[in-house]
Amino acid sequence: MITLDFNNMLAPRLGGSRGIDPARLAELQARFADIHADVARRRESGELGFFELTDAGEVVAEIEKFAEHQGQVFKNIVVLGIGGSALGTIALKTALLNPFWNELDEEEREFFPRLYVLDNPDPGTFSAFLDRIDLASTLFNVISKSGGTAETMSQLLIVRAQLEARLGDAYRGHLLFTTDPEKGVLRKLAREEGIPALPVPANVGGRFSVLSAVGLLPAALVGIPIRELLEGAREMDDRCRSASLPTNPAAIFAVLQYLADTERSAPIHVMMPYSDRLRDVADWFRQLWAESLGKERTRDGAQVFAGPTPVKSLGATDQHSQVQLYIEGPFDKTITFLVEAGRSTDMEIPRLYPDIEELGYLGGHTLGELLQVEKEATEAALAERGRMNMTIQLDQVNARSIGGLFMLLQIATVYAGGLYGVDPLDQPGVELGKQLTYGIMGRAGFEKHREQWEARAARNDEWTV
Ligand code: PA5
């Protein structure tokens, strides 16, 4: 079960002068009903493909079959992808595998492979990784919806060359593409070179694709029960079908964050798990919220420069780094805590040094209790200082609850798009960056760019120290 406690977003809990007046929630009901109807219409027309993923029977069966045949053949699975093609898998890995999975021996991993996700094409990391890995026992899952992203394609070219040099024609058996069902260069290569490829449905965008083959295949390969992920997502979808704002958790989340940004001058949305396992869900959410809502124009074409700024944080680590700012700095933030109620692992703190006050009080408690108390203390301190915060609580972190959490935040993002009036599904800014990279990296473009670069560098000398 996932619950959303939003008491501390509301003015009565924050001393009256800060926070959101509960009356505003009632006033937004009619607006939300319109947004809800629009989402239902877009869903019906097939524009919001991520909703359909929970029923994707055939693809899931194909993924399971592939994972069953290939999973234990390889010792390493390496995902090459970036943005929406990587962040969901990283979140799944952190949430649902042993934190030191890749360091466990084969028996401890029940003969499932190690899992690596290499998103950034930094030559230092990438070359060090390729120097270390045994190519002959590695499957590279190259993930790109468009099949043309420069970072991922560069990695593919390097890996393809190294595989061929080492294994000859057998290189094909070490590649698996996840890409658009029809379009793009990866699909073309898959067809021409006989490389297996799984589909990312055309109506599912990168940051909404974690429950497609993008996230499900790597998850299945390392033994994560993918049907439970989908089951949890489906349950959350059912909970979020209500057109009544107070009973729809995704709607409440979206409306409160929207009001905080637009009416309470709080455009910074911090997500702060008090759980290492949920740390990368916050990173995944950061992309989802930023790319979906950060838009120059509304769906009607009006210029708005909309979008809150999502920030990831981690409790208790950031109590010693960021929380001072959250509690006493500007009133420009909301904090969303992510917590797990029942930890599958806890550790008792030994009762040593009972006579030393600074150590004795800890003995007999557990590390889980310490984190929980620290979260509650931070939450109370924030509320006392009039700082808006809310808590999303998972009964336990497991495939079902993680599927539910992904779905909750995806639906909330679509509702928030409706509130801001922007299209949460497109990313014209990202596309512009991709086009510029493409143009510049092309030979003629690169030479021209180098000249401009050098001229700019010369001009900049005056203002550089
Ligand atoms: O959400 C998005 O659409 C983007 O962040 C993409 O996931 C990212 O740019 C990678 O694109 P692709 O999967 O086409 O390589």
Side-chain angles (χ1 to χ4, degrees), residues 94-114:
T94 309
L96 300 174
L97 295 183
N98 182 301
F100 300 101
W101 177 259
N102 289 344
E103 289 164 39
L104 300 180
D105 67 32
E106 300 215 344
E107 216 169 308
E108 288 166 325
R109 293 197 316 270
E110 295 175 31
F111 300 94
F112 287 111
R114 302 180 194 92

Side-chain angles (χ1 to χ4, degrees), residues 1 59 121 147 241 279 331 344 356 366 394 441-442:
M1 183 67 176
V59 177
R241 278 181 192 260
R279 185 186 57 209
F331 287 83
S344 55
I356 302 180
T366 67
L394 277 59
M441 286 294 275

Side-chain angles (χ1 to χ4, degrees), residues 83-206:
S85 291
L87 292 166
T89 302
I90 296 172
L92 282 168
K93 178 179 183 231
T94 309
L96 300 174
L97 295 183
N98 182 301
F100 300 101
W101 177 259
N102 289 344
E103 289 164 39
L104 300 180
D105 67 32
E106 300 215 344
E107 216 169 308
E108 288 166 325
R109 293 197 316 270
E110 295 175 31
F111 300 94
F112 287 111
R114 302 180 194 92
L115 174 61
Y116 301 92
V117 182
L118 298 181
D119 52 356
N120 207 21
D122 186 292
T125 312
F126 203 53
S127 65
F129 179 78
L130 291 174
D131 285 348
R132 224 187 110 72
I133 202 91
D134 172 27
L135 293 176
S137 54
T138 301
L139 176 70
F140 290 88
N141 182 196
V142 184
I143 308 182
S144 175
K145 167 81 190 297
S146 61
T149 302
E151 295 88 338
T152 309
M153 294 307 108
S154 306
Q155 291 172 318
L156 166 64
L157 293 173
I158 292 170
V159 162
R160 159 86 162 70
Q162 292 203 6
L163 280 172
E164 205 172 4
R166 166 98 160 76
L167 306 168
D169 264 1
Y171 78 87
R172 290 185 182 83
H174 294 258
L175 290 172
L176 167 68
F177 296 161
T178 307
T179 190
D180 187 276
E182 299 295 333
K183 294 186 294 196
V185 78
L186 279 188
R187 183 56 61 182
K188 181 171 145 49
L189 288 186
R191 284 199 193 104
E192 288 174 1
E193 300 190 15
I195 294 165
L198 287 162
V200 191
N203 60 357
V204 175

Side-chain angles (χ1 to χ4, degrees), residues 3 35 41 107 120 260 326 371 394 408 450:
T3 53
I35 291 167
R41 186 195 56 72
E107 216 169 308
N120 207 21
Y326 300 167
L371 274 184
L394 277 59
L408 170 71
R450 190 199 297 276

Side-chain angles (χ1 to χ4, degrees), residues 221-444:
L221 284 167
V222 292
I224 290 172
I226 58 174
R227 284 184 190 268
E228 286 176 30
L229 274 172
L230 297 177
E231 189 62 38
R234 201 160 34 239
E235 283 164 8
M236 181 54 75
D237 181 20
D238 287 344
R239 279 181 69 192
C240 298
R241 278 181 192 260
S242 168
S244 156
L245 182 52
T247 59
N248 183 327
I252 284 287
F253 182 89
V255 164
L256 288 170
Q257 298 294 352
Y258 169 74
L259 290 175
D261 176 13
T262 57
E263 297 185 10
R264 307 303 289 156
S265 308
I268 298 174
H269 296 175
V270 179
M271 183 168 274
M272 187 170 188
Y274 267 76
S275 155
D276 280 356
R277 300 222 284 166
L278 297 173
R279 185 186 57 209
D280 290 321
V281 171
D283 207 18
W284 167 85
F285 172 73
R286 197 167 65 111
Q287 183 212 12
L288 182 70
W289 206 238
E291 273 192 8
S292 302
L293 305 178
K295 299 286 154 73
E296 179 180 343
R297 292 186 186 274
T298 63
R299 277 166 76 189
D300 301 331
Q303 198 171 47
V304 284
F305 301 109
T309 300
V311 170
K312 63 172 176 168
S313 198
L314 179 68
T317 302
D318 284 327
Q319 280 186 216
H320 305 273
S321 161
Q322 300 294 296
V323 165
Q324 168 63 31
L325 171 71
Y326 300 167
I327 292 180
E328 293 198 343
F331 287 83
D332 57 359
K333 300 171 198 67
T334 67
I335 319 293
T336 299
F337 296 110
L338 285 186
V339 297
E340 47 176 323
R343 289 176 189 273
S344 55
T345 310
D346 208 343
M347 274 187 97
E348 191 169 318
I349 305 169
R351 291 176 199 274
L352 301 178
Y353 308 109
D355 302 331
I356 302 180
E357 207 184 322
E358 296 88 336
L359 298 175
Y361 77 103
L362 294 168
H365 291 294
T366 67
L367 290 182
E369 283 169 3
L370 175 63
L371 274 184
Q372 178 62 19
V373 166
E374 294 204 285
K375 181 263 171 184
E376 283 168 18
T378 306
E379 180 187 13
L382 285 166
E384 196 175 295
R385 297 297 190 92
R387 314 295 166 138
M388 290 179 279
N389 66 88
M390 61 163 89
T391 297
I392 298 176
Q393 176 174 294
L394 277 59
D395 268 2
Q396 289 190 330
V397 174
N398 53 35
R400 207 184 195 88
S401 64
I402 291 296
L405 185 56
F406 282 144
M407 192 50 114
L408 170 71
L409 296 170
Q410 289 180 140
I411 301 175
T413 302
V414 171
Y415 288 154
L419 290 159
Y420 283 99
V422 302
D423 187 352
L425 305 181
D426 66 4
Q427 56 283 324
V430 179
E431 303 305 340
L432 178 62
K434 285 187 180 184
Q435 282 160 20
L436 290 175
T437 304
Y438 183 72
I440 292 168
M441 286 294 275
R443 202 166 299 281

Side-chain angles (χ1 to χ4, degrees), residues 446-463:
F446 194 73
E447 287 313 316
K448 191 162 163 240
H449 184 73
R450 190 199 297 276
E451 282 163 27
Q452 288 169 356
W453 208 349
E454 281 165 3
R456 197 176 312 134
R459 277 202 310 276
N460 283 354
D461 275 354
E462 193 183 348
W463 300 103

